[in-house]
Amino acid sequence: MVMVTELSESRVPVGVTGAGEWVYLAREGGWSSLTGSTPVFLVTVLPKGGAFHSDLRDQLVAAGLPPSMADTFPVASSIRLGLTWPAEFWQQAALDWLEREGHAEAFLPELEALMHTGGTQRIRHTARRLVRAARQQARA
């Protein structure tokens, strides 16, 4: 296992196993899979936006790993957490990510829920716009 970065204000160590699996150091002291679980600190990736992947690539290179591994980081879990989080800040951060990076179609159930339960009118309208665009793209 090679440690690559730290996430959140708590500076949770995150690394990659020899098999290419992303893991984090759990409070219990052992390494846990980021894909097999969804630890709450993953939501802190969202405000970094596109800079997250760029920074992660740099950290992978510094650790002697291929920068392409950044593409395997489970960002979808971060987005899903943000969309379902009860705080407006994280909801908006997830929506902002989807507006910048795309792939809203992968989060239609969460976006449809936000259309009705989003913390602000801006969040509800953004969710509605993303759902409409994803549905139109699916028809095309």
Side-chain angles (χ1 to χ4, degrees):
M1 199 289 306
V2 177
M3 194 178 120
V4 175
T5 190
E6 294 176 330
L7 295 178
S8 91
E9 293 295 320
S10 300
R11 300 176 56 98
V12 177
V14 174
V16 179
T17 67
E21 179 182 19
W22 286 96
V23 294
Y24 70 99
L25 186 58
R27 287 186 180 176
E28 300 78 36
W31 291 93
S32 295
S33 170
L34 278 177
T35 54
S37 64
T38 307
V40 295
F41 71 82
L42 271 182
V43 77
T44 63
V45 165
L46 297 174
K48 297 176 183 182
F52 173 73
H53 277 107
S54 176
D55 292 345
L56 190 57
R57 280 184 183 88
D58 292 345
Q59 293 165 331
L60 284 161
V61 169
L65 297 169
S68 60
M69 290 188 78
D71 297 332
T72 66
F73 189 87
V75 171
S77 296
S78 301
I79 295 168
R80 192 161 279 110
L81 272 173
L83 292 173
T84 59
W85 204 274
E88 297 165 9
F89 177 83
W90 297 116
Q91 292 172 2
Q92 189 62 57
L95 291 170
D96 291 346
W97 185 292
L98 288 174
E99 283 188 309
R100 276 189 317 272
E101 307 296 326
H103 307 294
E105 64 280 357
F107 304 95
L108 282 176
E110 293 84 2
L111 289 167
E112 289 169 345
L114 268 187
M115 288 172 32
H116 306 289
T117 62
T120 66
Q121 183 177 21
R122 178 180 177 207
I123 288 169
R124 292 188 299 274
H125 285 201
T126 302
R128 185 171 288 112
R129 186 174 58 254
L130 287 168
V131 166
R132 189 176 16 222
R135 287 181 180 157
Q136 286 175 348
Q137 185 179 6
R139 283 187 232 137

